[in-house]
Amino acid sequence: MDAQTDDLTLYHFPHSLCSQKVRLALAEKGARYEVRVVNIGPAHENYEPWYMRLNPRGVVPTLVHDGEPIVDSARIVRYIDEHLPGPPLQPEDPALHALMEEWIERQDRFPMRELSYGSGNSLLMPIGRATIMRRARVLAAHRRRNPGLSAEYTARIEDVKRWKRTVSSPKEMAALRQRLADLLEELEALLADGRDWIVGDQYTLADIVWTVFLTRIRFLEGPEALDEIPSVRRYFERARDRPSYEGAGVRESVQTRELLPIILPFILPRAAAALLVLSLVGYGVWTLTVTALG
Ligand SMILES: N[C@@H](CCC(=O)N[C@@H](CS)C(=O)NCC(=O)O)C(=O)O
């Protein structure tokens, strides 16, 4: 394919797992693209009608290529490989291609969102959990104002309720952690023959999704999370050493300096309003007390 001449815009959020997969695929291809940050919390710009029309599930990422939106990170990374110039990221051999697909799907099926919000010890985790039900309220308010998108908002509200039920259930969370341990053991078994990448010698889309997934596991569980599975740890280190990892800005921790400008414009006006109300109530109580005392 010739040099890239097309218009590409990625709607994303810097720390989002799925956005990072797409950025990594774009970096491997050496693609040039515009970015638009969609504030997925606390402003929930992703639930606004303009974005729901672009991405009916109201999630990031969305890639817009010459005006056409493509949604769902697993589809987007395939699309990137098939439509942009750069090194091929899918094997030609059908058996290897099937292996790549199998590992993309294994990763994609794992509910990382639930694990991210239902475990971890960072201060941000309880805050994150508390925000889940706020999403249902924001979605319901949008549904009232946008009857044309009622089906999309209803589907999303149901999804948010399921999300909340899972992260609130210690039994489901324990099962999820076991499922993750099994999945990582399966990857360890695959890589134990010394292969560099999931299908062998070629770095493919499967490695892209697994690089970001393993980064998130280390983010949640600490850098020692892969110590018991040495082949996976070495595999992750190889992937992290690729220039694309830095180029895509794969996040290994919360970048407070990056998140604050996104969060503060939402929090500050509300904090100021709350302070004003508290001051008015305090002043009222004080005036009444002074009046009552004569
Ligand atoms: N299957 C979708 C999932 C996308 C997804 O869940 N994105 C998350 C960030 S990684 C999101 O937008 N969350 C915001 C929300 O659910 O409100 C994909 O792979 O693109």
Side-chain angles (χ1 to χ4, degrees), residues 13 15-19 21-22 40-41 44 46-47 51 55 57-62 71-76 108 113 117 135 139 156 159-160 163 216:
F13 190 75
H15 289 72
S16 116
L17 180 81
C18 309
S19 301
K21 292 180 199 171
V22 171
I40 59 172
H44 301 305
N46 51 317
Y47 301 153
Y51 190 74
N55 183 321
R57 283 198 55 216
V59 288
V60 288
T62 302
V71 300
D72 200 89
S73 57
R75 261 192 69 217
I76 302 174
D108 207 33
R113 174 185 75 172
Y117 279 78
R135 290 164 205 255
L139 285 159
R156 208 48 236 277
D159 171 59
V160 165
W163 178 5
R216 176 58 58 92

